[in-house]
């Protein structure tokens, strides 16, 4: 992954109800705002290719989610409403009235509920590889085991990289995309205790949000599924999209759970098409 950010990208720590949250801000300063929230076990740098794509036309904000990257460690249970509230604090600090919220996995779940909680702050939302369903029994078992294991370590254990690769990389990436499979080792940079709390909060402790999503009105929403996503299969993601009145649903072929990073060209093209149909200010 490229780590040298273009000139003009700034980083700042913003105080929120979930502690200090690190953000990277760049792109066209007078453009409409695109705010990207990453997957669990990732930080804002996973959006490198979205930044490069949207920066010429948009102000782009990349968030290190709570407990990840340079944001404060996570040491408590949180939920998507807490994340929504913290996001509003970030928007306020940056002087952003409305944004296009783009999220993958954890971020995708947030992109679903944020326009329900804060429609006045949402120009549009894009949820990628996301769900509004309760965790399955199998998911609860493995996530509980993984969170318990991680909570015992001060440094991310090597086994976490294997778990991340299994969760993030599908058959196509395993066969044809060694750069991406190597990228999944990024998780070794994480604070294992923070990830354990995030697993308990966002995966194990998540609620069924379909009824909440059904309250969304007059906010354009795009939901993207990955054909090879073993974490949130297509039918689960489709159910989330079906709960949002007027939403757009797309499936990316030969793509797994971390679509924004594995298949940035496909994701960016879908977002471009979606935004092109919206008012010119978005």
């Amino acid at each position: 992954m490229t780590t040298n950010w273009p000139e003009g990208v700034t980083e700042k720590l913003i105080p929120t109800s979930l502690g200090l949250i690190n953000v990277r801000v760049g792109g066209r300063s007078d453009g409409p705002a695109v705010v990207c929230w990453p997957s669990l076990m990732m930080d804002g740098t996973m959006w490198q290719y979205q930044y490069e794509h949207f920066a010429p036309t948009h102000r782009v904000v990349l968030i290190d989610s709570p407990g990840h990257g340079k944001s404060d460690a996570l040491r408590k249970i949180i939920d998507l409403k807490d994340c929504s509230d913290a996001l509003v604090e970030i928007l306020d600090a940056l002087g952003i009235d409305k944004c296009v919220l783009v999220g993958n996995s954890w971020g995708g779940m947030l992109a679903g509920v944020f326009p329900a909680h804060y429609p006045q702050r949402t120009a549009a939302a894009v949820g990628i590889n996301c769900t509004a369903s309760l965790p399955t029994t199998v998911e609860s078992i493995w996530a509980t085991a993984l969170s318990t294991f991680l909570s015992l370590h001060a440094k991310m254990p090597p086994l976490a990289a294997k778990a991340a690769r299994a969760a993030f990389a599908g058959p196509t990436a395993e066969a044809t995309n060694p750069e991406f499979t190597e990228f999944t080792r990024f998780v070794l940079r994480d604070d294992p205790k923070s990830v354990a709390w995030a697993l308990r909060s966002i995966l194990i402790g998540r609620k069924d949000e379909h009824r909440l999503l059904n309250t969304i009105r007059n906010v354009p929403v795009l939901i993207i599924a990955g054909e090879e996503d073993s974490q949130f299969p297509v039918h689960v993601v489709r159910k989330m999209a079906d709960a949002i009145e007027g939403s757009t649903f797309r499936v990316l072929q030969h793509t797994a759970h971390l679509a924004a990073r594995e298949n940035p060209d496909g994701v960016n093209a879908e977002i471009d098409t979606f935004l092109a149909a919206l008012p010119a200010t978005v």
Side-chain angles (χ1 to χ4, degrees), residues 39 46-47 49-50 103-105 127-130 167-169 177 180 224-227 229 251-268:
S39 167
M46 72 159 278
W47 300 103
Y49 301 122
Q50 282 69 44
N104 199 123
S105 191
I128 308 163
N129 304 112
C130 44
F168 294 149
N177 196 342
F180 175 74
I224 300 174
E227 178 198 23
D229 189 348
V251 179
L252 291 179
Q253 303 298 311
H254 314 299
T255 305
H257 186 66
L258 207 63
R261 182 56 177 71
E262 179 192 349
N263 185 3
D265 290 343
V267 166
N268 294 345

Side-chain angles (χ1 to χ4, degrees), residues 19-40:
L20 293 173
I21 298 295
N22 187 65
V23 302
R24 294 169 181 82
V25 183
R28 181 176 163 180
S29 60
D30 62 346
V34 170
V35 177
C36 299
W37 189 292
S39 167
L40 195 150

Side-chain angles (χ1 to χ4, degrees), residues 121-135:
R121 307 303 297 268
T122 318
V126 180
I128 308 163
N129 304 112
C130 44
T131 182
S133 299
L134 291 168

Side-chain angles (χ1 to χ4, degrees), residues 180-232:
F180 175 74
T181 55
E182 178 63 23
F183 167 78
T184 62
R185 293 179 57 82
F186 179 94
V187 301
L188 294 177
R189 307 179 191 181
D190 288 331
D191 171 355
K193 297 185 187 301
S194 284
V195 172
W197 281 105
L199 283 165
R200 297 184 191 112
S201 300
I202 304 303
L203 284 186
I204 304 166
R206 71 177 186 264
K207 307 168 186 175
D208 188 313
E209 302 285 11
H210 292 96
R211 184 173 296 181
L212 176 64
L213 300 186
N214 193 243
T215 68
I216 296 172
R217 296 291 185 273
N218 303 317
V219 177
V221 178
L222 169 64
I223 301 294
I224 300 174
E227 178 198 23
E228 297 179 358
D229 189 348
S230 62
Q231 302 304 300
F232 302 143

Side-chain angles (χ1 to χ4, degrees), residues 145-167:
L146 180 58
S147 65
T148 301
F149 176 69
L150 294 180
S151 68
L152 301 175
H153 292 78
K155 183 179 180 181
M156 190 62 74
L159 181 62
K162 294 183 179 180
R165 181 166 174 171

Side-chain angles (χ1 to χ4, degrees), residues 8 29 37 44 66 70 74 80-81 86 89 108 117 129 140 142 145 154 166 224 237 247 252 276 282:
S29 60
W37 189 292
K70 298 178 183 178
L74 186 61
L80 293 174
K81 179 58 166 62
E89 294 173 299
H117 292 304
N129 304 112
S140 294
W142 78 256
I224 300 174
V237 185
S247 70
L252 291 179
V282 178

